[in-house]
Amino acid sequence: MSVSSPHPCAWPQAFESLHEAVLGVTEDDRLCYLNPAARRLLAWPEERPAEGTLIELFHPVDGLELGPEGRLAARICEHTELTGGRPLRQALRRQDEVVLEMEVTASTLLSEAGERCHVILLRRPPELVDFDGGGTRLRAGRERPEPSWQLVFENAPVGIFHFDNRGVITACNERFVENLGSSRQMLIGLDMRTLPNAEIVRCVEQAVAGERTIYDGDYTSVTGGRHRIVRVAFSPILSEEGEVESGVGIVEDITDARRAQQVLSRADRMASLGTLAAGIAHEINNPLAYVMASLEYALRTLPRSSRALEQTEVAGGKSWLDIQRDALGNALEGTERVRRIVSDLGTFSRPAALAEGSSGLSRVLDSAAALAWNEIRHRAHLVKNYGETPRVRGEEPRLVQVFLNLLLNAAQAIPDGDAEHNLIEVGVTRTESGVIVEVRDTGGGIAPDVIDHIFEPFFTTKETGRGTGLGLSVCHGIVSSLGGTISAHPSAGGTTMRVLLPEARPETRPEEERVVRREPRPTYAVSPLRMLFIDDEERLAETLAIALSPHEVVSATSGGEALSLLERDRDFVLVLCDLMIPDLSGPEIYQKVLQRDPELAARFVFVSGGAFTERARDQLARIDVPLVNKPFDIETIEDLLEDRRDSEAYKGHGI
């Protein structure tokens, strides 16, 4: 029983299971009992005792004066008895300041000791809208309208509610009740002007002032606690004299549609960011290529020894030569860091057509866990629930990168030093739509206002210097390119990252990347070779010409110039061609050369700064030409030249 303080009245156990709200009041109007229905109706916390006075809840209505202090309950009892049980229409203020209008009756109980206490019964007012008697005029005393328009009202596919000219709800259909997760008892009589949502209140006030208005946005029901996204149209109902008599609201639950729209919008935004990332990568990679090549050349050509320079101490015991080497080495290391960041941007924007191969999932997950183990072991114990792990679409290094990022994020969300009480769990489930991998942690979780942004490039909640904000966007790019999905979900005490990957087709086999792979090459004297470099970056061509000496580098800055040059001079061991040339794409130049000279076309190698047009991407997918990504180092190009030296394509041509 909900009695919170001793009282001579023993409240019947039956009150606990009543659907109607029951208040227990002492003879001096002090609250001493609330049944569960009353607590729900008044938003009264379960742990809070029944306390305070009746006058703090009630306001006068129906002409009933409050009378002497401490006599309100007694006067309601007298009114109930004198009118044969006719209820009072009474306004109650809930604990959250929302006002409800209820019908109130009361009676008196006597304890065994003869002491008096009052029982007050609260019921929702009947729906008084007359659907068939001339529009929406209120008909007092009718508990239920006749059918016909009532049937339309109740069976409408949207929520409908009627309110009087003060903004108090007088009727609603079942769909409206469902939308809010509430009940008619809680809704009929609710004064919408007292709701905590200021925008809803504004719409109600405009409607009772005679204006039509629309609310579109999030709404949390004060009577049902349900959070939805709704569109509510408020419309006043005017009398024949043009005065506002009442109003009607139409409620459409657009939660699913809005979330689908947000997903599509996010996908569009990610696609746009991917295009932007590719463009940025291209613009950075071109100058970065000749900066790195120049630094590498400077390090190569710096004198290994010079007695005068080595004996010239500049600072900290280091010679001038040592300092020059350190400075160039630091500069090269810095450009390498820039290259890795740009490479991540390229992964984020990588098209699905370039993502091939298949991988064993258990091997991928074990490799990622091994790489992340140093971060995990001091923070949590790792649980592997792999189950069935079929082969999935995607190359193993890229998938390891995805799950390594997720495991590192999971570990870094957990404070160091309490591994015994924290958990990182990796689970695998096979479904009809693919293979689901979940990485769950017991860290601090992700704030609701952040979760929609975590896959955006450069977005991070980590401290400055702990991350670039590219990890999850790279994961998103890799998984999306494979036709899968990645999402974040709050879970008990942490976060669950869910990755859906398509199963590999039976005929799919791991394939070698079309990117040139370099094997160590012995150093020996070589005769000079000639190569053609087709790229609109003139400084990069100049840098290659210097760095590749004694080899000869001939350059062309447009497709037309390159084709003209190749018509009269085919004595090139290597044709290094950028994918994006202003007048012709690299694949278009290649196709034109292939038509007239297949042997010369076999010497082509493409280079790319990261940006592709759709046409160039389609063309690249149909031809078998190696691809080198910018920025490349000098040794990569030297290796390409040496690879071509003994190739069958050049025998018999005097090369």
Side-chain angles (χ1 to χ4, degrees), residues 416-435:
D416 193 2
D418 194 17
E420 183 180 352
H421 298 98
N422 285 296
L423 171 73
I424 295 175
E425 182 179 7
V426 181
V428 179
T429 307
R430 191 174 188 176
T431 68
E432 292 183 0
S433 56
V435 182

Side-chain angles (χ1 to χ4, degrees), residues 511-568:
E511 297 180 5
E512 290 295 318
E513 295 185 42
R514 293 202 305 162
V515 177
V516 174
R517 300 180 184 275
R518 186 169 74 242
E519 298 295 334
R521 180 183 301 279
T523 302
Y524 52 86
V526 297
S527 58
L529 300 173
R530 296 179 75 235
M531 66 168 277
L532 174 63
F533 183 51
I534 309 171
D535 197 306
D536 60 338
E537 282 286 346
E538 295 183 15
R539 288 187 181 276
L540 180 54
E542 293 171 2
T543 302
L544 281 179
I546 296 171
L548 291 173
S549 177
H551 300 302
E552 180 184 355
V553 178
V554 179
S555 63
T557 58
S558 70
E561 182 185 357
L563 289 173
S564 177
L565 184 60
L566 289 169
E567 282 183 1
R568 62 179 186 269

Side-chain angles (χ1 to χ4, degrees), residues 123-367:
R123 289 177 175 168
R124 70 178 180 88
E127 295 172 303
L128 300 177
V129 180
D130 180 5
F131 289 90
D132 300 313
T136 56
R137 193 174 303 278
L138 296 181
R139 182 184 300 174
R142 284 188 54 184
E143 187 68 23
R144 296 180 62 85
E146 295 294 329
S148 71
W149 287 110
Q150 172 70 13
L151 292 176
V152 176
F153 181 75
E154 286 294 346
N155 292 283
V158 293
I160 305 176
F161 62 94
H162 179 271
F163 52 93
D164 64 20
N165 57 9
R166 298 169 298 155
V168 176
I169 296 177
T170 58
C172 61
N173 68 354
E174 192 61 32
R175 179 58 65 91
F176 178 65
V177 175
E178 291 173 1
N179 287 343
L180 299 182
S182 186
S183 66
R184 292 182 191 248
Q185 179 187 18
M186 303 289 282
L187 293 170
I188 303 302
L190 187 147
D191 187 342
M192 293 186 291
R193 296 171 301 176
T194 64
L195 291 171
N197 188 310
E199 189 62 23
I200 288 281
V201 172
R202 183 189 64 79
C203 291
V204 172
E205 291 174 343
Q206 286 182 310
V208 298
E211 301 177 31
R212 292 184 178 181
T213 184
I214 292 177
Y215 172 80
D216 191 330
D218 294 313
Y219 182 72
T220 301
S221 168
V222 297
T223 59
R226 192 181 188 198
H227 179 81
R228 307 298 287 171
I229 304 173
V230 296
R231 179 179 292 115
V232 188
F234 294 86
S235 181
I237 298 174
L238 305 180
S239 67
E240 295 178 358
E241 294 77 21
E243 296 181 355
V244 177
E245 181 182 80
S246 57
V248 64
I250 307 295
V251 182
E252 184 181 3
D253 187 337
I254 58 173
T255 305
D256 293 338
R258 183 61 57 82
R259 286 175 180 168
Q261 182 182 8
Q262 289 171 347
V263 169
L264 290 174
S265 175
R266 190 179 304 123
D268 287 343
R269 186 167 67 249
M270 295 296 284
S272 298
L273 288 170
T275 302
L276 176 63
I280 292 173
H282 181 268
E283 293 305 310
I284 293 176
N285 279 330
N286 279 324
L288 191 61
Y290 59 76
V291 169
M292 292 187 70
S294 297
L295 289 170
E296 187 179 353
Y297 175 74
L299 273 172
R300 280 186 173 193
T301 56
L302 196 67
R304 291 297 176 187
S305 64
S306 170
R307 181 167 299 178
L309 292 176
E310 286 180 345
Q311 292 175 350
T312 304
E313 184 175 319
V314 178
K318 289 187 175 183
S319 70
W320 182 89
L321 268 179
D322 291 334
I323 290 177
Q324 295 304 308
R325 291 192 189 101
D326 288 348
L328 289 171
N330 290 341
L332 194 59
E333 181 183 344
T335 55
E336 174 62 21
R337 288 184 61 185
V338 175
R339 187 198 64 78
R340 287 198 298 268
I341 292 174
V342 175
S343 176
D344 282 346
L345 279 174
T347 301
F348 166 66
S349 62
R350 178 166 294 178
L354 297 183
E356 301 291 345
S358 69
S359 301
L361 192 53
S362 59
R363 177 173 167 176
V364 165
L365 296 174
D366 285 341
S367 297

Side-chain angles (χ1 to χ4, degrees), residues 58 66 242 284 336 439 443 585:
F58 282 16
L66 293 179
I284 293 176
E336 174 62 21
V439 178
S585 71

